[in-house]
Amino acid sequence: MRILSVVGARPNFMKLAPVDRELVKRGVEHVIVHTGQHYDPGMSDAFFEQLWIPAPDYDLGVGSGSHAQQTAAVMQRLEPVMVELHPDLVLTYGDVNSTVAAALVAAKLQVRVGHVEAGLRSRDWTMPEEINRVVTDRLSDLLFLPSRDAAENLEAEGIPADRMHFVGNVMIDSLCWALPQALAVDAPARFDVRGRSYVVVTLHRPANVDDPAVLRELLEALTRLADHVPVLFPVHPRTRARIGDLRLPTDQGLRLLEPLGYLDMLSLVAKAGLVVTDSGGLQEETSFLGVPCLTVRPNTERPITCTHGTNRLVQAQRDAILAAAERGLARHSPARPVIERWDGKAAERIARVVCDGERFGLDAGPAAQLQREPRRAVAIPQPLAS
Ligand code: UD1
C-alpha cells in the first residue's frame, strides 16, 4: 500500500509524526510531501528533526503568497507528483492552505482522501481555516475525528456517518511521545523562569496582528502583565514583521523570542502558569496538560477545550485580557482534564482504519471500550469581555 501525506505548515508536522510512525510500523510505503508553505528552519526543519520525521521525499518549495497564489502553487506542483506515484490514499492534516490544496488535487485525480483532524468548525467564515476545513472534509473519503462534537458538525453538513472515524487527537499523541524529552530539556531554566509562575504567549492570526490598533492593544496588555510576571513571547515571522511596523520602544518587560522548536515550546508550556494564544494546537495541548489558557479569539473550532479543558476565550481588549489572566494565574489545579480518546493512541487507530479496515464509530466499538465517557453535547463557548 502506498500512502502519500501532504504537509506544509508548522501545525501539520506534529500531526504527521505519529501517523508516519504507525504506518511505517505496518510496512506501508509512506511518501511525505512538504509543500514549503513554511520554510524558515525554525518553523519547519526543527520540527522534522525533533519529532523524528524522515526528510520529505518531495519538497514543492511554494513559499509565501496570497491565499489564491499559495493554494494554486501547491496544486500545480503537487499534481504531477500524484500522477507519477498513483497513491492508494492521500492523507491531509488540519486546516492550512496546503491541506485544502492537496484534497482538491487528489479528489480530481480520483485518489482517495483521508483528513486527519476532520469535522472541527468555528462557524466563522472570516477565517481562511474554516473554508479550508469545510472544503477538505467535503472532499474526503475518510474523516478522522478528534472529538465527538466533530461528528455533529459533519452530520449537519450531510456527510455520511460511515466516512467518520472517531480516532482521537493526534496532537496529543506527539505530546505524550515528546513530554519526557521536553521536561528533560528544561527550557524554563534556560529562560530563567524555573520555579516561578510565568506566561507563554503566541499570536499570529491575521485578525490579531494585521490591524495595528488591535496589535497595539494586545501588546499593551502583555506589557502590563509583564510588570507582574515574566511573559515569554516566541514570535511568528508574520507577527514579528507587524510589531516592527509599530516601532514600539524596546525596553519593555515583555520578552520577544525567536520561534521555538517543539521540545522547547512544550517544555515551557508544561510548566507555565498561563498561556495566552490564538493557536489551535495550544488550546489542545494546554487542555491536556491542565495549564490555564486564554485564547484571544471570538470563537473556537475546538469548543471541547473550553467545556472539558482549561481553555477560555477572551476578547482582544487590554482590560479583558488582564482580568482573565489574573483569574487564570490564580487557578492552580493539580488534576488534568481527561478528554475522550486524547490518549496517545489516535495515530494507531488511524493506521488500523487505513491498513486493517477497522471502524472507530461513535458508539460501541473497539475504541469505545478504551475509555468510557458519556456523550455530552458541546455548546459553543462565548468570549470573556471586560
Ligand atoms: C498558517 C496557517 C494557519 C496556521 C499557521 C501556523 C493558512 C491559511 N494559515 O498561517 O492556519 O495556524 O500557519 O503558523 O494556511 N513566513 C515566514 N517564514 C515561514 C512562513 C511564513 O517568514 O516559514 C511569513 C511570511 O511573511 C508569510 C507569513 O509569515 O507571508 C504568513 O505565512 P502563511 O503560511 O501564509 O500563513 P501563517 O500566518 O503562517
Side-chain angles (χ1 to χ4, degrees):
M1 186 187 282
R2 176 181 284 162
I3 296 179
L4 197 147
S5 275
V6 182
V7 290
R10 185 167 59 176
N12 289 161
F13 308 138
M14 32 297 209
K15 295 167 195 163
L16 166 69
V19 174
D20 174 64
R21 269 198 300 280
E22 290 296 329
L23 292 179
V24 169
K25 218 192 266 179
R26 285 168 171 76
V28 169
E29 184 192 347
H30 189 212
V31 180
I32 297 175
V33 179
H34 190 320
T35 66
Q37 177 173 344
H38 283 174
Y39 43 86
D40 283 357
M43 300 286 286
S44 177
D45 301 3
F47 288 77
F48 275 71
E49 195 186 314
Q50 295 187 349
L51 291 163
W52 288 70
I53 307 170
D57 299 279
Y58 294 82
D59 194 336
L60 306 182
V62 301
S64 303
S66 72
H67 285 271
Q69 285 167 343
Q70 198 172 52
T71 309
V74 173
M75 290 180 70
Q76 282 181 327
R77 296 182 196 189
L78 186 58
E79 189 181 48
V81 176
M82 278 199 209
V83 169
E84 180 198 329
L85 295 180
H86 244 292
D88 299 290
L89 177 71
V90 167
L91 286 178
T92 62
Y93 300 80
D95 55 17
V96 304
N97 286 343
S98 300
T99 307
V100 71
L104 278 164
V105 173
K108 293 202 175 193
L109 291 172
Q110 293 176 24
V111 175
R112 278 157 55 81
V113 180
H115 184 204
V116 178
E117 199 185 85
L120 300 185
R121 296 290 182 268
S122 65
R123 295 174 181 78
D124 177 352
W125 287 89
T126 66
M127 286 183 76
E129 291 82 3
E130 183 73 355
I131 300 168
N132 295 344
R133 289 181 202 113
V134 170
V135 175
T136 305
D137 284 342
R138 186 67 188 84
L139 297 175
S140 294
D141 302 276
L142 295 173
L143 295 110
F144 298 112
L145 281 49
S147 49
R148 283 189 183 274
D149 52 303
E152 286 158 24
N153 296 332
L154 293 170
E155 271 164 27
E157 292 172 19
I159 307 259
D162 62 4
R163 292 193 196 165
M164 302 179 204
H165 296 273
F166 175 29
V167 294
N169 190 333
V170 285
M171 280 296 258
I172 302 303
D173 289 15
S174 272
L175 190 159
C176 294
W177 179 85
L179 192 56
Q181 293 172 70
L183 294 176
V185 161
D186 199 0
R190 201 146 19 93
F191 289 102
D192 199 23
V193 288
R194 182 160 62 177
R196 298 158 70 188
S197 184
Y198 61 89
V199 180
V200 178
V201 178
T202 78
L203 294 168
H204 72 280
R205 301 268 168 213
N208 283 333
V209 306
D210 285 0
D211 179 339
V214 176
L215 183 57
R216 236 176 233 288
E217 177 94 7
L218 292 173
L219 290 173
E220 206 184 317
L222 296 173
T223 307
R224 289 275 189 99
L225 197 55
D227 290 340
H228 307 285
V229 61
V231 180
L232 306 178
F233 183 178
V235 187
H236 184 289
R238 163 202 279 283
T239 313
R240 170 81 60 185
R242 302 293 183 271
I243 293 176
D245 295 344
L246 292 181
R247 298 178 202 284
L248 295 172
T250 49
D251 57 348
Q252 319 259 13
L254 177 61
R255 291 169 63 181
L256 302 180
L257 313 173
E258 289 302 312
L260 294 175
Y262 184 67
L263 292 178
D264 276 345
M265 190 65 183
L266 182 54
S267 179
L268 277 184
V269 168
K271 299 284 179 190
L274 179 74
V275 168
V276 179
T277 190
D278 56 12
S279 134
L282 274 168
Q283 297 174 50
E284 299 178 340
E285 290 162 343
T286 49
S287 276
F288 183 82
L289 293 165
V291 173
C293 178
L294 295 181
T295 297
V296 188
R297 282 179 45 189
N299 49 56
T300 178
E301 61 290 333
R302 293 163 162 89
I304 199 162
T305 60
C306 298
T307 55
H308 291 57
T310 52
N311 187 27
R312 298 294 177 268
L313 303 182
V314 63
Q315 288 179 358
Q317 291 171 349
R318 187 193 64 185
D319 293 345
I321 292 171
L322 289 172
E326 195 181 331
R327 287 200 290 271
L329 281 165
R331 193 195 157 280
H332 292 289
S333 165
R336 287 185 187 180
V338 175
I339 300 183
E340 189 182 10
R341 293 185 207 179
W342 290 24
D343 56 3
K345 295 177 184 158
E348 184 193 318
R349 296 189 186 101
I350 290 173
R352 283 162 64 181
V353 172
V354 169
C355 301
D356 310 331
E358 249 181 78
R359 271 202 54 73
F360 289 92
L362 285 112
D363 302 317
Q369 285 153 20
L370 291 178
Q371 247 184 12
R372 288 163 211 270
E373 196 184 303
R375 183 169 182 165
R376 277 185 250 175
V378 175
I380 305 291
Q382 298 300 314
L384 297 167
S386 52

